[in-house]
Amino acid sequence: MKRQQTEADGVSAAERELFGGRLRWDQSYIGHEDVVARMGFGQMAAALPRMVGVVLRAGWTADRRALTGLVVSQIAQGVTVALGLVAVNGVLNQLFADGPTGDKLRQSLSALLVLAVVSVGAALLSAWSTAMSGRLEPQVERAVSTQYYRAVTRVEVEATERPDVQRDLEAGKFGTDSARRMLGLSVGVSGVVIGMVAAAVVLASLHWALLPMLLAIALPKGWGAVRSARREYISRLH
């Protein structure tokens, strides 16, 4: 009977005997751990713009120049992705055409040069994006922390001694630590989205039937990424 009860609620016999139930951390985020574990892809996608908006507003307040450079570099990388796909298509058309191999290589030389220039440009833009992101991340964390401490100073000192207020303050501090990581994640997500849009535009210009193929490639990867993130999160909780 005890074994069946242990398997049902996931509480070991030692925890039940020593503590009367499951042993858990008494932290403010514990009340939300199950919600995050059950969150689906649609819920994550719906929450992402709001979280990115918080980071962008903090970055605009902290360093507008760095944020502008970061956005420009991300968009420019999307342009280089589109140009690279066009160059690759030109090279393949030349190589698979009829005729001697030497003539085909000479005819594709211009497209190869364009592809080389685009690759160098993409590398430079990636380095620029990394530099702007590294410059902006600590400033975003500082800006969010300033907002947090400014809000804390408006709370009565007597109220901060109450356990419920202390838990809210603890949760807020956890959010300020996450703002820096959220900026890096936003840069990665925006790069993927911009790259997919650029690829979709190029593929649509070649043939509309290539767009469903792009979705067929991207959707399983997105589903797998969400599943892996959820499994990693649950593993960390355990």
Side-chain angles (χ1 to χ4, degrees):
M1 185 66 182
K2 287 185 176 180
R3 179 176 297 179
Q4 294 177 353
Q5 188 176 4
T6 299
E7 293 176 353
D9 55 17
V11 180
S12 65
E15 286 178 304
R16 191 180 307 281
E17 182 177 355
L18 294 174
F19 308 105
R22 184 181 178 187
L23 182 62
R24 309 180 68 192
W25 290 99
D26 187 20
Q27 301 291 336
S28 58
Y29 62 85
I30 293 298
H32 307 284
E33 60 181 10
D34 294 333
V35 177
V36 177
R38 294 194 306 268
M39 184 176 292
F41 179 78
Q43 293 172 311
M44 291 183 182
L48 184 62
R50 177 175 54 83
M51 293 186 291
V52 173
V54 172
V55 175
L56 290 178
R57 287 193 295 271
W60 184 257
T61 303
D63 192 341
R64 297 183 180 182
R65 188 172 181 178
L67 181 61
T68 302
L70 181 60
V71 173
V72 170
S73 65
Q74 291 295 106
I75 296 176
Q77 286 184 73
V79 176
T80 58
V81 169
L83 294 177
L85 290 174
V86 173
V88 169
N89 180 66
V91 172
L92 294 178
N93 285 334
Q94 295 293 340
L95 292 179
F96 287 106
D98 295 331
T101 303
D103 293 341
K104 292 189 290 184
L105 289 175
R106 283 190 293 270
Q107 293 173 358
S108 63
L109 184 59
S110 59
L112 288 172
L113 290 175
V114 171
L115 184 59
V117 172
V118 169
S119 300
V120 173
L124 293 176
L125 288 170
S126 179
W128 185 25
S129 175
T130 301
M132 293 296 100
S133 177
R135 171 180 168 181
L136 195 59
E137 283 180 2
Q139 298 188 66
V140 166
E141 184 178 6
R142 189 182 305 117
V144 174
S145 298
T146 301
Q147 297 177 7
Y148 168 76
Y149 289 120
R150 188 174 294 140
V152 170
T153 57
R154 292 197 292 266
V155 180
E156 293 291 340
V157 177
E158 181 183 1
T160 59
E161 299 298 328
R162 298 205 307 265
D164 56 336
V165 176
Q166 290 183 2
R167 293 176 69 85
D168 291 338
L169 296 177
E170 178 192 349
K173 187 64 175 65
F174 184 78
T176 60
D177 296 336
S178 302
R180 181 174 188 147
R181 296 192 299 271
M182 188 62 204
L183 177 61
L185 294 174
S186 300
V187 172
V189 171
S190 64
V192 172
V193 172
I194 292 174
M196 287 191 61
V197 171
V201 171
V202 174
L203 293 177
S205 65
L206 296 176
H207 198 283
W208 65 268
L210 296 175
L211 289 178
M213 297 177 62
L214 178 63
L215 293 177
I217 295 173
L219 289 179
K221 289 186 176 181
W223 178 83
V226 173
R227 293 282 297 180
S228 299
R230 185 181 292 112
R231 287 180 179 273
E232 180 182 356
Y233 178 76
I234 295 175
S235 176
R236 192 184 313 127
L237 287 180
H238 290 321

